[in-house]
Amino acid sequence: MVLLPHGYPCSSFQYRHFMAALGDRWRLIAPDYPGFGYSGTPDRSRFSYTFDGYAEFLQRFTEAVGLTRYAIYLHDYGSQFGLRLAMHAPDRVAALIIQNGDIYEDQHGPKYRPLKEYWADPTEEGTSRLYAAVSAEGFRDEFVGEIPDRLVERVCPDLWTLCWALLGTPERRRNLVHLLADQVSTLDWFDRQQAYLREHRPPTLIAWGRHDGYMPEGAARAYLRDLPDAELHLLDGGHWALETNLDEVVALVRDFLDRVHPSRLDW
């Protein structure tokens, strides 16, 4: 079983090709979180739209569908939710696949600067900038704004088009802005997540797109501080490596899982 928590501002749609490529050997599950994709949008009185809320959702989801042993794909926001799940039930984790999901603040890239300025001083002007980012153009920038021009054509425009079509309602925009503001809470988890890796040493593959303004190459190498036995592969791609480097990632993951989490379609 391979669990695929998605990133911001996407949904399970980001794994469409990856699931097709691995589905002959493994069961793969990619849930849409509340307020994302085709999932419902609960009232804020019922769901917090915070990192704590989404991490708890992923834990409850795995219990509800009866997952007892799995590899976790850690990407973007999904890396936070997936790592907290791993910490919650470390005995269930067969392996980790880390693809542009960071937990080392000293390796944050320049694209974090506007967020960090807002976290330090959450003004109305800063909130307006967050709303501007939660837009059709802002979503496009999330997917192709930093990769070399030669790679842009590899990224399907359906990604930002579908994201905006699904997330552009006033209610969902408010919830996403709230989540972006709450991202500062993840910093307090980094030390605990690093300690989990040192203590449990799950088999780990790191496949990383080096053209990432949030999480540059150093953010990938930093994992070797706590997981010196991890496999590290730096790819000529971006944050959304399943778009720019799908075949490479699939080949690496198939080889890795064959060794550490052999295929069992009955899981």
Side-chain angles (χ1 to χ4, degrees):
M1 173 67 66
V2 183
L3 182 62
L4 304 167
H6 65 79
Y8 167 92
C10 212
S11 65
S12 57
F13 185 73
Q14 77 175 76
Y15 293 115
R16 65 203 183 283
H17 298 311
F18 187 74
M19 296 178 79
L22 294 179
D24 63 325
R25 299 282 298 279
W26 291 271
R27 289 184 62 197
L28 300 100
I29 295 184
D32 285 350
Y33 315 140
F36 284 87
Y38 292 104
S39 287
T41 307
D43 185 81
R44 289 274 287 273
S45 65
R46 297 175 49 227
F47 188 78
S48 64
Y49 298 96
T50 62
F51 278 80
D52 286 349
Y54 281 113
E56 181 183 353
F57 163 81
L58 189 61
Q59 292 174 20
R60 289 189 287 109
F61 174 83
T62 60
E63 297 291 344
V65 298
L67 303 188
T68 58
R69 186 72 171 162
Y70 39 75
I72 312 175
Y73 196 103
L74 302 176
H75 173 254
D76 194 82
Y77 281 11
S79 64
Q80 281 297 310
F81 313 142
L83 272 174
R84 295 194 205 183
L85 174 66
M87 295 165 66
H88 173 73
D91 57 311
R92 298 182 179 181
V93 178
L96 300 177
I97 302 160
I98 305 175
Q99 189 259 292
N100 296 74
D102 62 327
I103 60 168
Y104 297 91
E105 187 177 5
D106 64 306
Q107 296 299 320
H108 279 172
K111 206 167 180 179
Y112 266 113
R113 182 181 56 80
L115 274 175
K116 291 192 171 187
E117 290 176 351
Y118 178 80
W119 297 339
D121 185 20
T123 62
E124 290 186 11
E125 181 182 354
T127 301
S128 296
R129 285 195 292 268
L130 292 186
Y131 270 100
V134 182
S135 64
E137 186 58 33
F139 286 174
R140 184 184 186 278
D141 183 66
E142 290 292 329
F143 290 108
V144 299
E146 61 209 359
I147 58 177
D149 290 343
R150 58 186 167 77
L151 297 178
V152 170
E153 64 180 15
R154 300 186 190 180
V155 183
C156 179
D158 290 348
L159 281 163
W160 59 86
T161 304
L162 180 62
C163 284
W164 181 240
L166 294 175
L167 299 176
T169 67
E171 181 183 19
R172 285 193 161 192
R173 286 189 77 199
R174 284 194 299 271
N175 293 336
L176 288 181
V177 167
H178 182 71
L179 185 61
L180 287 168
D182 184 65
Q183 190 178 344
V184 67
S185 68
T186 64
L187 304 182
D188 291 336
W189 279 85
F190 285 0
D191 286 346
R192 284 175 277 179
Q193 290 163 341
Q194 294 161 21
Y196 157 79
L197 297 177
R198 288 193 301 272
E199 178 181 354
H200 293 280
R201 298 289 183 93
T204 300
L205 169 70
I206 305 170
W208 202 276
R210 66 171 75 237
H211 304 295
D212 189 333
Y214 287 112
M215 309 167 196
E217 183 176 319
R221 295 189 183 278
Y223 276 97
L224 300 180
R225 303 172 190 172
D226 301 305
L227 290 171
D229 297 327
E231 297 180 35
L232 172 62
H233 300 268
L234 296 170
L235 309 175
D236 184 27
H239 184 78
W240 300 89
L242 293 183
E243 298 296 314
T244 55
N245 303 79
L246 177 68
D247 291 345
E248 291 175 89
V249 176
V250 166
L252 290 169
V253 171
R254 288 183 76 93
D255 175 70
F256 174 68
L257 291 179
D258 271 337
R259 287 182 279 114
V260 304
H261 193 40
S263 54
R264 280 274 306 278
L265 287 176
D266 57 327
W267 263 327

